Amino acid sequence: MLDSHFARRDRQPRIVRLAIATGHDRSFGVEEKTALVVDRAARTGEVIGRLGASLLDTSSATSDGRNVAGVRYSYFTTGSTIDFATGAITLAGTAHSGAGAAAAPVAPTDIWGSDECEGGIFGTLDLAQGLVKSSASTATGDTCDSPAESPRFRTTFTRTASTTWNDDGGFTDLAMSITGIPSFSAVASAPGSAGTPNPQVPAGSQATITVTVTNTGGTPLTGFRIESDGSGAVSAASDPASTTVVAPGGTLQLQTTRTVAKGPQTFALRITATAVDANGAELGVATAPQTASIAFVGVGTGTEANASANAGANANGSSDSGGSSSDAKGSATGSTSSGANGAADGSGSGADGQGSLARTGAPADGLALPAAAILLLAGAAALIARARLRARV
């Protein structure tokens, strides 16, 4: 299959789709003021002219009618040759393998040069040539973001072990995929957390977190995996990846557990996914990860709560094994205790603020003598007076 005015007008996607639909394994595109001279006897070809020729190899490509992956893209410049029997390309000049030293190419936002966005020409070829000379391993470009250009597509190039390139812009064996643009959203929740910004759970317990992912992009997604992105309070190993394929617009719930420490904390869960086609074949296009965060407050256990309550009670009074607590006016111990205004004996009973006698103590200051003691003193005085009277007689 052959096309012309090719890379200038970004016709690579068009010929790839047609080649797959018609069962052609190899398709060629030739640029303006350029020719691919074919030697039928030798089954070889050579590029002459100003620019170059493209080869799109779809022999190992996969497609679901909308997304395609596994295409091999080569562009050979003037003086380069091809063996049609094997498909091997020999680049003119010095061929380099491995990464170059240039900066990674900037991702174009209108790679196919649409009329709506006026992205220019050679967008697809420019991206591929920029990649092979750079230190990057992949490069992507998206189609115009305009309602008239919907749905949008993404072209992804990936350097392979057999990729080579020369200084004139030629290259061989870049992996190419043309797909919808994958994306998804993720929201974390926990039992009882609806409407609660910071749900409280016992410290040291395992919190069950549910992450709801929604496929918001243009490709099916699978391999959803929950990870910790390092910004949360706990760094946990990745959970097993889900094997469920979620179509565009579909949702999936994932669950994980995290140990909650005491106090406030936030778990920031990093979720990754893999873009696939409708048949489950990987598309080789990167899917941006998402982060779902949820905050908890770890509260003390029942034992800690009782200890706290006891500490509060002891703020007003305390006792040991030999006594009982009193009010703020006095405290008791197993030996001797005193209140604010009175004393207590060894039994540990608190003072009432009016004063009392200890079992071995003297009367407190300002207290009157008991009535019995007064009568005894009066009797003694009378006896003394009588004795004195008799002595005079």
Side-chain angles (χ1 to χ4, degrees):
M1 186 176 294
L2 181 65
D3 200 352
S4 61
H5 302 280
F6 191 68
R8 177 184 181 88
R9 300 186 181 180
D10 294 291
R11 288 177 170 170
Q12 296 93 334
R14 180 175 79 169
I15 203 168
V16 164
R17 182 166 184 176
L18 183 59
I20 292 174
T22 58
H24 288 80
D25 288 344
R26 295 176 189 160
S27 303
F28 295 89
V30 180
E31 301 308 313
E32 299 171 353
K33 300 180 180 180
T34 307
L36 177 59
V37 180
V38 177
D39 184 335
R40 289 180 179 272
R43 299 189 64 187
T44 60
E46 181 180 355
V47 176
I48 62 172
R50 179 180 175 186
L51 298 174
S54 296
L55 167 62
L56 282 302
D57 186 339
T58 54
S59 59
S60 300
T62 60
S63 176
D64 60 1
R66 173 184 171 88
N67 305 287
V68 60
V71 178
R72 293 299 179 105
Y73 181 28
S74 300
Y75 181 79
F76 41 119
T77 52
T78 298
S80 301
T81 60
I82 181 172
D83 183 336
F84 291 112
T86 62
I89 295 173
T90 301
L91 295 176
T94 301
H96 309 283
S97 61
V106 176
T109 56
D110 184 20
I111 189 171
W112 296 348
S114 70
D115 291 336
E116 291 292 322
C117 295
E118 294 295 338
I121 58 176
F122 289 111
T124 306
L125 178 60
D126 285 347
L127 181 64
Q129 289 175 326
L131 171 63
V132 295
K133 293 181 178 181
S134 76
S135 58
S137 59
T138 63
T140 64
D142 295 343
T143 57
C144 173
D145 185 9
S146 168
E149 297 294 327
S150 181
R152 300 183 68 196
F153 287 89
R154 173 168 292 169
T155 301
T156 301
F157 291 117
T158 303
R159 189 191 305 273
T160 69
S162 57
T163 299
T164 61
W165 52 280
N166 65 15
D167 296 327
D168 295 331
F171 57 84
T172 64
D173 277 336
L174 270 184
M176 179 183 187
S177 64
I178 304 168
T179 68
I181 300 176
S183 65
F184 67 95
S185 63
V187 178
S189 62
S193 66
T196 304
N198 300 296
Q200 294 187 351
V201 296
S205 66
Q206 292 284 310
T208 299
I209 303 172
T210 299
V211 177
T212 302
V213 294
T214 302
N215 187 342
T216 57
T219 70
L221 297 173
T222 191
F224 284 99
R225 183 190 296 270
I226 298 177
E227 303 172 349
S228 173
D229 68 0
S231 64
V234 176
S235 178
S238 299
D239 291 334
S242 169
T243 58
T244 302
V245 176
V246 182
T251 62
L252 176 68
Q253 287 192 331
L254 310 171
Q255 282 195 335
T256 187
T257 58
R258 294 292 187 268
T259 301
V260 178
K262 191 172 183 180
Q265 62 223 263
T266 298
F267 294 100
L269 305 176
R270 185 175 185 266
I271 299 94
T272 59
T274 301
V276 295
D277 65 16
N279 302 315
E282 291 192 18
L283 294 174
V285 56
T287 305
Q290 298 296 313
T291 299
S293 298
I294 186 168
F296 291 96
V297 176
V299 296
T301 63
T303 301
E304 291 174 336
N306 291 337
S308 178
N310 290 336
N314 289 337
N316 293 325
S318 62
S319 66
D320 66 7
S321 59
S324 61
S325 62
S326 69
D327 62 14
K329 295 181 179 179
S331 62
T333 67
S335 55
T336 304
S337 303
S338 61
N341 296 316
D345 65 12
S347 65
S349 60
D352 61 4
Q354 301 300 320
S356 63
L357 291 174
R359 291 183 179 178
T360 58
D365 294 343
L367 293 180
L369 292 174
I374 294 174
L375 291 176
L376 288 174
L377 290 175
L383 290 175
I384 294 172
R386 183 178 295 180
R388 288 177 178 175
L389 180 59
R390 288 179 179 175
R392 291 176 183 175
V393 175

